[in-house]
Amino acid sequence: MNSSLITLILIFIALLVIHFIYIIVSKIQKNQDYSVIGLRIKTWWGMFFIFCLATLFNPIVSLLSLMVLTFFALKEYFSMIRSRKADRRLFLWAYLAIPIQFYWIYIGWYGMFIVFIPIYVFLLLPLPRLINKGTGGFLRSVSSTQWGLMLMVFGLSHLAYFPFATAQYGGRLVLFLVLLTQLNDVVHYVASMYIGKRKIVPTSNASLTWEGFACAFVVTAVTSYFVAPVLTPLGANFGLVTGMLISLSGFFGSLTVSVLKRDLLIGEDQKVDNEKQSYLSRIDSLTYTAPVFFHVVRYVMDFM
């Protein structure tokens, strides 16, 4: 039995145990809202499935799975924008950028992968909005679309590049990143629920507190220190550093997406409440942690 299969079995058992504990605790403490944790666990199962595809089958399968993930993330983001008929062509161009971005990953063209959306798409994206569509609402529609592409497509697409940048360690690095990102979010939420008093930005996300941030930072960094040498080719000390970076970037990712959603849904309180349980809320932190972790590992380690 190879090491990858053993890793998959151990992770599967761990997820089962965590899911079982969540079910028991949520039934015992009915006065506490554990819905956010339940959503995170569902995300873990989904990413575990993608990791299985990347490890046991062809990496192209995981590439397509992650491409679908970015599509639905962008679609959900666009659903929050107060769009007009003139914006439909703009959204279409944004959707067409997804398969092109993932094609650069497939052929391993890192140079184009890294500049395609931040430069070429940003420069060309306003064209369908300008031609025969007038200037009313131009800045809001174009800038909000560009933000969606940066976070939901460019940021998340880094997850798909790991298996192509290093076939030997790519799947494990993705799993390591996802587990630590979700762990950071869950610890932050639970700590804020029980001991959190000082809210960071109460107007956009009341569940983010300084106490939760401190607990999540310590737990994520320490966990990374011990898990990195086992699950990845990273050493313990470098694992500690990456754990701190993942915690910080995950916090900023969650905060940024929360502020974006609050701004886009001003005056629509019912939609705001629904978005708290949305698919986008499960992967908000990954929009920041994926590119940060990818580039730190790529520029420090020689196997990428």
Side-chain angles (χ1 to χ4, degrees):
M1 187 178 295
N2 58 48
S3 59
S4 296
L5 186 57
I6 294 175
T7 303
L8 287 175
I9 293 174
L10 292 176
I11 294 170
F12 178 76
I13 295 173
L15 282 176
L16 279 179
V17 172
I18 293 172
H19 203 156
F20 180 74
I21 293 174
Y22 159 73
I23 294 173
I24 297 299
V25 172
S26 60
K27 287 185 177 180
I28 294 176
Q29 299 183 358
K30 294 183 179 181
N31 60 321
Q32 298 288 356
D33 182 15
Y34 291 102
S35 59
V36 173
I37 299 177
L39 291 173
R40 297 291 175 180
I41 292 176
K42 290 180 180 179
T43 303
W44 293 353
W45 282 114
M47 295 308 298
F48 173 73
F49 175 71
I50 293 176
F51 176 69
C52 290
L53 295 178
T55 304
L56 302 178
F57 302 98
N58 196 303
I60 298 176
V61 179
S62 65
L63 179 76
L64 295 175
S65 301
L66 289 168
M67 185 171 70
V68 172
L69 182 147
T70 61
F71 171 79
F72 281 108
L74 187 62
K75 182 176 181 294
E76 188 168 296
Y77 172 81
F78 283 160
S79 69
M80 296 185 291
I81 299 177
R82 295 172 184 169
S83 60
R84 57 183 70 183
K85 189 176 181 179
D87 297 329
R88 293 178 182 176
R89 191 178 299 177
L90 189 68
F91 292 168
L92 176 61
W93 280 42
Y95 285 128
L96 291 177
I98 296 177
I100 299 175
Q101 174 74 355
F102 279 80
Y103 176 73
W104 307 136
I105 299 174
Y106 173 69
I107 64 176
W109 191 355
Y110 174 79
M112 184 57 75
F113 161 79
I114 209 65
V115 303
F116 175 64
I117 289 178
I119 295 181
Y120 296 112
V121 173
F122 265 45
L123 293 176
L124 296 175
L125 189 64
L127 291 181
R129 185 62 175 78
L130 286 171
I131 300 174
N132 298 325
K133 298 298 179 181
T135 58
F138 169 80
L139 181 61
R140 181 173 177 83
S141 61
V142 172
S143 60
S144 58
T145 303
Q146 290 173 334
W147 257 108
L149 280 169
M150 277 299 294
L151 294 176
M152 312 310 160
V153 181
F154 182 72
L156 292 176
S157 65
H158 286 77
L159 290 171
Y161 208 108
F162 277 103
F164 290 86
T166 169
Q168 183 178 3
Y169 304 115
R172 294 188 178 190
L173 289 170
V174 171
L175 180 66
F176 174 77
L177 169 63
V178 172
L179 288 179
L180 283 184
T181 300
Q182 298 299 320
L183 173 67
N184 182 71
D185 289 343
V186 168
V187 173
H188 192 148
Y189 180 79
V190 173
S192 296
M193 181 189 299
Y194 286 102
I195 64 174
K197 295 181 179 179
R198 293 173 293 178
K199 298 178 180 180
I200 300 174
V201 187
T203 56
S204 63
N205 193 331
S207 64
L208 297 178
T209 65
W210 287 113
E211 293 81 3
F213 169 75
C215 290
F217 183 83
V218 173
V219 171
T220 304
V222 172
T223 302
S224 180
Y225 178 83
F226 290 104
V227 173
V230 177
L231 194 58
T232 73
L234 309 178
N237 292 332
F238 189 68
L240 180 65
V241 174
T242 56
M244 291 188 287
L245 287 174
I246 288 173
S247 181
L248 284 172
S249 56
F251 164 73
F252 285 118
S254 180
L255 183 60
T256 300
V257 174
S258 296
V259 173
L260 274 175
K261 289 191 295 185
R262 176 67 65 172
D263 180 49
L264 293 172
L265 297 175
I266 289 177
E268 301 184 40
D269 295 335
Q270 186 175 358
K271 267 193 172 183
V272 171
D273 293 334
N274 292 336
E275 287 299 327
K276 292 178 182 178
Q277 307 294 330
S278 68
Y279 172 79
L280 187 57
S281 299
R282 308 182 202 178
I283 49 91
D284 50 5
S285 301
L286 281 170
T287 60
Y288 269 56
T289 60
V292 169
F293 180 66
F294 177 88
H295 291 293
V296 168
V297 173
R298 185 178 186 275
Y299 287 116
V300 174
M301 298 296 173
D302 57 1
F303 57 80
M304 289 181 63

